[in-house]
Amino acid sequence: MTVHQLSIFIENRSGTLIKVLEALKAANIQIIASTIADTAEYGIYRLICSEPMRACEELKKANVAVALSDVFALAIDDKPGRAADAVKTFSEAGISIAYMYSFLLRGKGILIFRTDDNEKAVKVIADNQLQSINEADLSELA
Amino acid sequence: MDTNSNRQEHLTPRPTREGQGGGSAFFNPEFETLSRTEIEALQLERLKETVAHCYTNDFYRKKFDEAGITPDDIKTLADVRKLPFTTKQDLRETYPFGMACVPIRDCVRLHSSSGTTGNPTVILHTKKDLDEWANQVARNLWMVGLRPDDVFQNSSGYGMFTGGLGFQYGAEKLGMLTVPAAAGNSLRQIKFIKDFGTTAIHAIPSYVTRLYEVMQQEGVDPRRDTKLKVLAIGAEPHSEEQRKRIEEMMGVKAYNSFGMSEMCGPGVGFECPEQNGMHFWEDYYIVEIVNPETLEPVPDGEIGELVLTTLCREAMPLLRYRTRDLTRVLGRTCPCGRNHVRIDRMRGRSDDMIVLRGVNIFPIQIEKILMKFPEVGTNYLITLITEDNNDQMIVEVEVNEATDDFAKLQALEKEIRHQLGDEILLKPIVKLVAKGSLPVSEGKAVRVVDKRKVFE
Ligand SMILES: [Zn+2]
């Protein structure tokens, strides 16, 4: 139901992002999706990748501050309005979404998001027969 | 523990010269347990002797003439303030033997510190000076429970660095089996600790941390696999939090040591088991804390520059030596029964002091706060800037533990700023930076960058 996401502290100055990407490249880790959220001074670089546990270890070895977190991943049809439907389901259930990003994978839209109430979110996904995907699905698709 | 009864108990047994210490908690009970009045009487007597001794030296005589005083002007202990200060610069200018107060043939040891600017400095010792120095170190080690049965490993640099020979002679004087392991080669150090049954180590704090890292790599648990019971740490500025971390790692008490080659070396001050500041031995030194700008004495509890006058030195007595170390008086009595002044750990150097909007700030204050936050590293950089005609301090600190939560980063930034504000009395700008992006500090690295405009 959830997938591992790496959250990396980065600074808004040149060189800090490249250090992360170089370390992943050297470890032969494939980035599936990523996004940067930032303030004026610093940001959190979030990414979904192959072998997240190993990626995390490799980054720590490269002296990068990284945290592993669990985020929800939903597969939706690649059609207009599907993302809106999914988000609406959660908001109607009173669950707020901290952040969300999406990407296309093999003709499927993938929504990655974090909620303030994971237990409730699991229930909403089951009740509404939303198609959640896990780590294995993701690596299969990638 | 009741202070008075404790002191009484230890006052009675006066050990013979032979069995110094004996079953007592004191190595030199006749000096360690003096009352304040007795200490001050002894200091006045010894100050008069020291001043008269200095007056035989041309350098001092000239200084006395310039100040318009003679040894006869020292009538009370407070008269020490009539004496001119001595500085490191004086030592450089009189290099090598200009401040010797005995013929060089009476000296048996020389320690020299290399100067990054100008001449190096030289400190000379007679046989008696070396013996008095060893006595101070032995007194310290005895104070924290070490006895002749103990095995003392001195993992400190030897050679000109006084932490080597200073602790060597002191530990031997106490009667311990003493291992001159010197610094470095951690695997060999650990082997010694295990094979010789080392119970006490002297090292700089960063080396203890290093030793522990290697122990971990080698699967050695200091609690389980060693007989360690005491650490003596010094010669490197460190905070209380760092000390606690070291004590937790090694599972033993770590006592703070103050030394300075100009005075002799280690031995000058050391913590007792109360760990409430270092007792500075006032039978050996007159301790003053002065405002580094006005040179006037500051009240007890207030931070100022440590100024020391030696009272027992033959070869090179020093009058009112400006150490440049910043610290404060914590008290003049102690539950341990010693009434020798308690001095706080060093708060940095008077040369490092930052004056921002009229407030005196020491980098170690910043460090102390940052150590409380495991989310950030111990590397930091202070930048002083002028913004809209206002001087500001920026504290950059590395994020050690990442998070997926922005709110946590913002809360962290805010909390650091808040706690720094409480400590240094003005709120700096706190900037979180990526791990490894600040220069690694080794000892006296540059932690402060001043970009303020001097004139507006
Ligand atoms: Zn004490």
Side-chain angles (χ1 to χ4, degrees), chain A residues 1-2 72-74 86 89-90 93 95 113 117-133:
Chain A
M1 193 150 295
T2 58
F72 286 98
L74 287 186
T89 318
F90 287 99
I95 299 170
F113 59 92
D117 190 341
N118 284 356
E119 254 175 62
K120 211 164 168 186
V122 169
K123 198 173 172 296
V124 169
I125 290 170
D127 291 352
N128 293 278
Q129 292 169 346
L130 293 171
Q131 192 194 345
S132 75
I133 57 174

Side-chain angles (χ1 to χ4, degrees), chain A residues 9-10 12 37-44 46 98, chain B residues 373 375-376 397 399 401-419 428-433:
Chain A
F9 179 88
I10 55 160
N12 294 350
D38 66 343
T39 66
E41 303 285 344
Y42 54 79
I44 299 175
R46 299 185 172 109
Chain B
F373 294 90
E375 302 94 329
V376 300
V397 57
V399 172
E401 290 172 15
T403 167
D404 188 42
D405 196 344
F406 256 114
K408 274 190 191 153
L409 289 173
Q410 278 152 355
L412 176 67
E413 212 173 54
K414 203 174 151 195
E415 186 57 24
I416 293 176
R417 177 176 147 84
H418 178 74
Q419 291 207 19
I429 299 163
V430 173
K431 278 191 181 168
L432 301 178
V433 302

Side-chain angles (χ1 to χ4, degrees), chain B residues 31 42-43 45-51 53-54 102 124-133 135-136 139 263-264 281-286 309-319:
Chain B
F31 292 109
L42 180 65
Q43 284 184 315
E45 182 190 314
R46 289 186 170 178
L47 177 64
K48 284 178 177 172
E49 286 168 15
T50 294
V51 168
H53 186 41
C54 287
V102 298
L124 295 159
H125 301 265
T126 64
K127 259 197 172 119
K128 180 170 175 288
D129 288 337
L130 288 186
D131 194 49
E132 295 288 5
W133 176 12
N135 184 65
Q136 293 166 61
R139 183 190 285 184
M263 295 302 121
C264 58
W281 302 120
E282 293 183 273
D283 50 332
Y284 282 105
Y285 308 94
I286 291 175
T309 298
T310 66
L311 294 175
C312 294
R313 283 177 56 80
E314 290 181 336
M316 268 182 79
L318 290 175
L319 301 179

Side-chain angles (χ1 to χ4, degrees), chain B residues 143 271-277 279 333-338 342:
Chain B
M143 176 165 69
E271 280 178 324
C272 71
E274 303 286 332
Q275 291 187 314
N276 56 358
H279 285 290
T333 56
C334 182
C336 77
R338 294 170 185 87
R342 287 185 289 113

Side-chain angles (χ1 to χ4, degrees), chain B residues 205-223:
Chain B
S206 60
Y207 190 63
V208 178
T209 311
R210 171 78 196 132
L211 215 49
Y212 179 71
E213 279 168 12
V214 180
M215 279 183 175
Q216 274 192 312
Q217 284 162 16
E218 298 298 308
V220 175
D221 176 353
R223 287 178 171 80

